């Protein structure tokens, strides 16, 4: 598998060096940021690989993918049989969802029309629904070996690999589990349900041949992960450009790329996925859908750098879903580079020092957004099964 794309044969290298003198809000931060240089070139970015790397213990197969697709769309995996993986990860929304934070269990409707059924004791999901598209490449950078089994998942990177990721929403109260089962018992309940359905027994046997009892938790995770590894979009115009087609981007889009690098965005948004896959504290405002402030996995308000790919289809943005447009996101970065902290629970000392190295100007925002749109690729698989083996509603209660 080719993990890192070659640079354009025409030798175009955009290299920018800018001095950053930003007021950081405190004397110590100002001293730290003064005289720092931003030096970024197109070499810190990259095209996506044209193929996906499977973990050694879960090689893909058509049978495994077919099973995984059914499981992804079947609400039998949820405690109340009303939510599927696809409820909050829909093809029309780039396998994400057009909501600030998701409504899982006890919800109905789709997109902005989704709401809780009454009476309701289930909270909103804690964070914005991240896209599953290209999650097969999570962890892929220019400077580290890529291991799909160790790929960081979720906003707080609490899971590694798509196999581990696949099971956690099933066990989470507000996402798929609900009140009917405990976190410890729900997976056993789901497996018992699947074993009672003859079609699923046949599908699991075909996907995992030779096993005495193929319908088990580990294979449930492997099948869903195998399907999710088929959900990739690897041929954006930016990918074409990085593979050598200089005409894939317009002059203004190339200018936007230059502005993106000049502003220092690639300090965190780098590599083929435009993510360093690290946790950063930025002081993003909390969602109002939850009463408690979200301090993240380490209680320091740091969250994983999201990919910038296919942003056209994945609004709203950030872990709390507080920004509806890319312009709002970039204005937020302009503010925090100037020392403004938008989350009252975050102190200046908690903010990631890299934000003070940004040199983002208001006049450059439209150009950067124009470049970001070259990262969109709408050619991914959007196939939705017409039925699922359980006989339940495909995608759960989304009507």
């Amino acid at each position: 598998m080719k993990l890192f794309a070659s640079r354009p044969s025409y030798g175009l290298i955009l290299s920018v060096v800018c001095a950053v003198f930003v007021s950081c809000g405190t004397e110590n931060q100002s001293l730290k940021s003064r005289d720092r240089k931003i030096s970024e070139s197109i070499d810190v970015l990259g095209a996506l690989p044209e193929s996906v790397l499977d973990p050694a213990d879960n090689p893909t197969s058509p049978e495994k993918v077919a099973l995984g697709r059914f499981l992804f769309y079947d609400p039998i995996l949820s405690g109340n049989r009303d939510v599927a993986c696809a409820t909050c990860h829909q093809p029309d929304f780039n396998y994400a969802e057009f909501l600030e934070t998701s409504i899982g269990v006890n919800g109905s409707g789709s997109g902005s029309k989704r709401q809780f059924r009454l009476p309701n004791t289930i909270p909103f999901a804690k964070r914005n629904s991240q896209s599953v598209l290209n999650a097969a490449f999570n962890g892929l950078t220019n400077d580290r070996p890529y291991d799909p089994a160790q790929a960081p998942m979720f906003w707080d990177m609490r899971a590694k690999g798509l196999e581990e990721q696949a099971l956690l929403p099933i066990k989470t109260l507000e996402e798929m589990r609900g009140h009917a089962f405990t976190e410890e018992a729900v997976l056993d309940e789901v497996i018992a349900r699947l074993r009672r359905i003859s079609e699923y027994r046949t599908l699991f046997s075909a996907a995992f041949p030779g096993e005495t009892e193929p319908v088990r938790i580990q294979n449930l995770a492997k099948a869903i992960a195998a399907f999710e590894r088929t959900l990739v979009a690897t041929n954006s115009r930016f990918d074409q450009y990085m593979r050598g087609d200089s005409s894939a981007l317009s002059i203004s889009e190339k200018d936007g790329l230059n502005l993106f690098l000049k502003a220092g965005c690639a300090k965190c948004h780098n590599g083929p996925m435009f993510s360093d896959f690290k946790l950063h504290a930025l002081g993003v405002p909390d969602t109002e859908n939850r009463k408690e402030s979200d301090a993240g996995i380490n209680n320091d308000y740091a969250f994983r750098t999201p990919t910038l790919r296919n942003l056209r289809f994945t609004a709203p943005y950030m872990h709390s879903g507080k920004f509806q447009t890319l312009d709002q996101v970039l204005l937020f970065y302009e503010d925090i580079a100037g020392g403004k902290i938008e989350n009252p629970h975050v102190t200046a000392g908690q903010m990631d020092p890299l934000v003070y190295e940004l040199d983002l100007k208001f006049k450059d925002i439209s150009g950067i957004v124009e470049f970001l749109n070259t990262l969109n690729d709408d050619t991914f698989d959007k196939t939705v099964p017409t039925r699922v083996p359980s006989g339940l509603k495909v995608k759960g209660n989304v009507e």
Side-chain angles (χ1 to χ4, degrees), residues 150-355:
Q150 296 299 312
M153 298 290 163
F154 298 110
W155 283 105
D156 56 11
M157 305 200 300
R158 66 186 183 277
K160 293 182 178 179
L162 283 168
E163 286 75 10
E164 183 178 354
Q165 174 272 330
L167 298 179
L168 293 189
I170 300 173
K171 298 193 293 183
T172 301
L173 168 69
E174 60 268 40
E175 294 186 33
M176 297 181 74
R177 173 168 59 88
H179 291 301
F181 302 93
T182 65
E183 183 176 347
E184 294 75 20
V186 68
L187 285 174
D188 289 335
E189 166 64 21
V190 167
I191 292 300
R193 293 175 184 175
L194 295 173
R195 287 175 178 171
R196 289 194 291 267
I197 299 174
S198 61
E199 185 175 356
Y200 268 128
R201 293 198 302 271
T202 299
L203 288 166
F204 270 89
S205 294
F208 302 96
E211 295 192 17
T212 303
E213 180 47 86
V215 187
R216 55 193 182 95
I217 293 172
Q218 294 84 350
N219 289 344
L220 167 66
K222 287 181 178 181
I224 295 174
F227 166 64
E228 290 180 339
R229 288 194 176 93
T230 69
L231 303 179
V232 295
T234 63
N235 198 36
S236 69
R237 288 192 294 115
F238 174 77
D239 291 309
Q240 297 169 31
Y241 178 73
M242 292 299 285
R243 293 173 187 141
D245 182 1
S246 62
S247 66
L249 302 187
S250 68
I251 292 175
S252 60
E253 288 166 344
K254 292 173 186 176
D255 289 341
L257 168 57
N258 194 28
L259 292 171
F260 176 87
L261 296 167
K262 179 180 178 181
C265 304
K267 285 289 185 183
C268 299
H269 293 284
N270 50 51
M273 281 288 281
F274 283 74
S275 174
D276 60 4
F277 295 100
K278 296 179 181 178
L279 301 175
H280 299 279
L282 305 177
V284 176
D286 287 312
T287 177
E288 295 175 0
N289 290 339
R290 302 275 294 212
K291 293 180 180 179
E292 73 279 10
S293 179
D294 186 358
I297 195 168
N298 297 319
N299 205 39
D300 58 2
Y301 288 88
F303 298 91
R304 195 195 87 198
T305 305
T307 180
L308 299 182
R309 289 183 170 273
N310 277 36
L311 293 177
R312 177 186 298 159
F313 312 107
T314 58
Y317 306 108
M318 313 303 265
H319 74 274
S320 59
K322 287 300 295 180
F323 302 128
Q324 295 294 321
T325 68
L326 294 177
D327 289 74
Q328 290 176 355
V329 173
L330 290 169
L331 286 170
F332 164 78
Y333 278 112
E334 182 191 32
D335 286 343
I336 62 175
K340 182 178 179 181
I341 302 176
E342 295 201 16
N343 190 317
H345 301 283
V346 179
T347 66
Q350 288 176 302
M351 293 288 284
D352 194 303
L354 284 174
V355 302

Side-chain angles (χ1 to χ4, degrees), residues 65-66 68-69 72-73 89-96 131-134 226-234 310 377-385:
V65 171
R69 188 188 302 272
F72 188 85
Y73 284 93
H89 299 282
Q90 300 189 30
D92 290 344
F93 300 108
N94 194 89
Y95 288 94
S131 173
V132 179
L133 191 70
N134 286 330
F227 166 64
E228 290 180 339
R229 288 194 176 93
T230 69
L231 303 179
V232 295
T234 63
N310 277 36
D377 176 8
D378 191 37
T379 61
F380 54 89
D381 181 10
K382 307 177 188 69
T383 306
V384 178

Side-chain angles (χ1 to χ4, degrees), residues 22-26 28-34 337-340 348 356:
V22 182
S23 171
C24 301
T26 69
N28 288 340
Q29 289 162 340
S30 180
L31 289 172
K32 288 179 181 179
S33 64
R34 188 174 298 140
K340 182 178 179 181
Y356 304 119

Side-chain angles (χ1 to χ4, degrees), residues 17-24 30 32-38 262-264 337 354-360:
V17 179
C18 352
V20 178
F21 301 91
V22 182
S23 171
C24 301
S30 180
K32 288 179 181 179
S33 64
R34 188 174 298 140
D35 296 328
R36 281 188 176 181
K37 307 290 183 181
I38 295 177
K262 179 180 178 181
L354 284 174
V355 302
Y356 304 119
E357 295 188 25
L358 290 173
D359 187 24
L360 181 59

